[in-house]
Structure formats: C-alpha cells, structure tokens
Amino acid sequence: AGADLHGRGIVIAEARRQSVAESYARARKMRSRGKLSLIAVDYLQLLQDPAGLAKGANREQSVAANARALKLMAMELGVPVLALSQLNREADDARPTLAMLRESGSLEQDANTVIFLYAPGDQDKTADVKRVVLLLAKQRSGAADIEVELGYTRATTAFHEVDAGQR
C-alpha cells in the first residue's frame, strides 16, 4: 500500500509518539521541495507532549499546546492541517457535539473547521453498508451545523453518496 500511495504524492510518516516539532521539520523540508498540500495527523492525542510544557501538566494542557502548534504550523506553511481526534465516551451512539472532543476544550476554540463522522445508533452494526452522517459542526468562515448523509461500505472502507430513495 505504501508504494501505491507514494506514486500519488502521499508520504506517510509513521513514528511512535512523534512530536509536532518533528512533523514541522519534515513538513518544512517537503514544502521547500514544493511537495506539500496537506498535513494529516492520526491522531492528536498520540502526539508527544510538547517541549517546554510545564512538569506535571495534565493531558488537556498537552493536547491544547499541540493543537495550537499545529494551527501555527498550518499558518506558517500555508497548508491545511487535518488533525483526527478522539471523542469522549459519552459520544457512543449519540450525535457528537464540540463539547465531546476528548481532552481539550481548546480544540473547539482553536479549530477553523470541525467535522464529525458518526453512525446513528438505529442500525445494524454488522451490516455491510451503513448509513453515516458527516456533520459540519464548526466552520469559522461559513455556515455550520450542516449534516450530509453518506453510505459506508465496510468491505472497501469507502464512503459514497446516498440516493434520495435510500435515506
């Protein structure tokens, strides 16, 4: 899969507990070569605690500092940063809200856009094709609280449009 992605200009930097600073250095190098159009972080809570964070700082402070550093990286490099994040357990089988972003209220504050994907709880969890909702919960430069219904096929891990008759 890695070779297939490489031919499409996608680079995967797999490292355990990588720091934002390490990601920043790699992104700057790629940007100088003109090969950077998006940075994706999978996922925010797995990033290393930032250097300079006070001893005894809690997880929320660490996640908040990393979120701010990612935002600064996006602004400096002029590319979007897509940071995946966990939700609190209360989000299971519920329509997600900004307050459910795990370990950081600052994500709600710092993010320009927050998008949730969730499967409404009223369906068979083992079905091959599920109904999934894409929720645009926050958009700093436009409308928010917009829902788009999608289909999700488990076998191919692909999302697709849902015909009006399938809703």
Side-chain angles (χ1 to χ4, degrees):
D4 188 35
L5 293 176
H6 184 70
R8 291 187 167 94
I10 297 172
V11 176
I12 299 173
E14 292 184 89
R16 290 178 157 229
R17 302 273 299 166
Q18 189 166 1
S19 70
V20 173
E22 291 166 331
S23 298
Y24 214 159
R26 184 177 201 142
R28 271 196 297 268
K29 183 185 272 188
M30 291 180 71
R31 182 70 175 167
S32 71
R33 295 180 188 151
K35 296 181 178 184
L36 185 67
S37 57
L38 170 73
I39 298 167
V41 176
D42 181 15
Y43 64 97
L44 183 59
Q45 286 83 355
L46 284 181
L47 288 171
Q48 244 180 32
D49 291 343
L53 191 65
K55 277 231 187 263
N58 63 32
R59 280 299 294 152
E60 187 169 329
Q61 291 167 320
S62 174
V63 170
N66 278 330
R68 279 190 297 278
L70 289 172
K71 183 164 186 152
L72 292 172
M73 178 169 50
M75 290 170 28
E76 180 188 315
L77 298 174
V79 298
V81 173
L82 172 68
L84 303 180
S85 176
Q86 278 190 323
L87 297 178
N88 290 321
R89 295 253 181 244
E90 69 214 33
D92 288 350
D93 294 328
R95 182 181 189 268
T97 64
L98 293 170
M100 292 177 181
L101 289 168
R102 187 173 185 142
E103 295 175 322
S104 184
S106 72
L107 291 177
E108 177 181 350
Q109 177 183 324
D110 291 340
N112 289 339
T113 305
V114 176
I115 300 171
F116 295 114
L117 279 174
Y118 73 98
D122 61 345
Q123 56 188 320
D124 180 3
K125 292 190 184 304
T126 62
D128 289 335
V129 178
K130 294 175 71 167
R131 186 171 54 93
V132 176
V133 177
L134 182 144
L135 168 61
L136 179 58
K138 177 185 176 183
Q139 181 175 212
R140 200 176 299 271
S141 61
D145 202 29
I146 297 169
E147 290 189 357
V148 178
E149 223 174 274
L150 301 170
Y152 173 74
T153 305
R154 293 171 58 109
T156 58
T157 62
F159 292 94
H160 52 86
E161 288 186 53
V162 176
D163 294 329
Q166 293 178 312
R167 292 181 185 164

